[in-house]
Amino acid sequence: MDSAPSDRRVDDALALKILIAGGFGVGKTTLVGSVSEIRPLRTEEQLSEVGTAVDDTGGVDEKTTTTVAMDFGRITIRAGLAVYLFGTPGQDRFWFLWDELATGALGAVVLADTRRLQDCFPAVDYFEHRSIPFIVAVNCFPESRSYGAHEVARALDLDQGTPVVLCDARDRDSGKEVLIRLVEYAGRVHSARLLDTVGTEPVG
């Protein structure tokens, strides 16, 4: 049996795909940029007068750009485990991109802003209806009122067991902890589904 050449590199790293979703101006681009170990790919454009007439910028009046396709970044959680991040556009008119981005995703992070909590309802509904595991990460803006995880879970009417975490999208360690929580949660969900499938298979 021939042995592999000594200079051949064997890449055993496990690569996972995660979506970063949420409403307009909630911090998706910021989160991807803060945790990515590579220069993130961004598809931001300046907000125009036409765009501001369509998009609700209430509460984020200082925002001057918007994502029109996706953000992309990569982070190594630990040795042998890399995560590829895809930030979704927040506006309704770009939602046709979501199905393509969601293909093959392990799970999703739904970023929430307590000043505009209703803006993350569409993302929560999207992942619930497609049985894609997700967690809600409350981006704690300095000027926003502080709410506990249980209060946010009740306000969003989340399914029991869906994790809610508090974070600062600008902080790398905080963002990394959000991703770790999602990977752990999504792993448990997928394992439970696999066991259910095995348990329902006919014997013999």
Side-chain angles (χ1 to χ4, degrees):
M1 178 173 159
D2 295 336
S3 59
S6 58
D7 60 349
R8 179 181 297 175
R9 293 188 59 188
V10 179
D11 187 3
D12 293 327
L14 174 63
L16 305 176
K17 179 181 181 181
I18 287 176
L19 301 188
I20 309 296
F24 177 66
V26 77
K28 300 181 295 294
T29 298
T30 300
L31 177 61
V32 173
S34 67
V35 301
S36 180
E37 60 197 19
I38 62 172
R39 183 177 179 180
L41 168 66
R42 293 173 174 165
T43 56
E44 288 196 312
E45 296 292 343
Q46 291 291 321
L47 282 172
S48 63
E49 291 185 10
V50 175
T52 54
V54 175
D55 300 319
D56 178 12
T57 58
V60 286
D61 303 306
E62 72 283 358
K63 186 171 175 59
T64 60
T65 61
T66 183
T67 299
V68 296
M70 68 172 185
D71 299 311
F72 174 78
R74 185 191 70 205
I75 179 174
T76 300
I77 297 295
R78 56 173 171 74
L81 177 58
V83 171
Y84 292 91
L85 306 172
F86 292 81
T88 65
Q91 304 94 313
D92 293 353
R93 66 182 186 275
F94 296 124
W95 272 39
F96 65 92
L97 295 169
W98 280 47
D99 287 341
E100 187 67 29
L101 291 175
T103 301
L106 173 77
V109 173
V110 175
L111 270 180
D113 179 353
T114 56
R115 300 169 301 176
R116 295 159 53 103
L117 197 58
Q118 70 280 0
D119 288 2
C120 69
F121 272 110
V124 168
D125 289 342
Y126 181 90
F127 297 121
E128 283 185 345
H129 291 159
R130 288 161 180 78
S131 298
I132 298 174
F134 70 95
I135 70 171
V136 173
V138 179
N139 191 10
C140 298
F141 291 90
E143 64 274 18
S144 63
R145 181 178 171 184
S146 178
Y147 292 91
H150 293 297
E151 293 176 287
V152 173
R154 286 197 302 268
L156 294 176
D157 193 25
L158 298 177
D159 290 340
Q160 186 175 6
T162 302
V164 176
V165 298
L166 307 181
C167 73
D168 182 344
R170 302 166 300 178
D171 182 76
R172 176 180 173 82
D173 289 338
S174 180
K176 186 174 180 179
E177 183 60 31
V178 168
L179 298 178
I180 291 173
R181 287 289 301 276
L182 172 63
V183 170
E184 291 174 344
Y185 174 66
R188 293 195 300 269
V189 171
H190 287 296
S191 295
R193 289 175 182 171
L194 180 60
L195 290 174
D196 287 342
T197 301
V198 173
T200 57
E201 289 181 353
V203 178

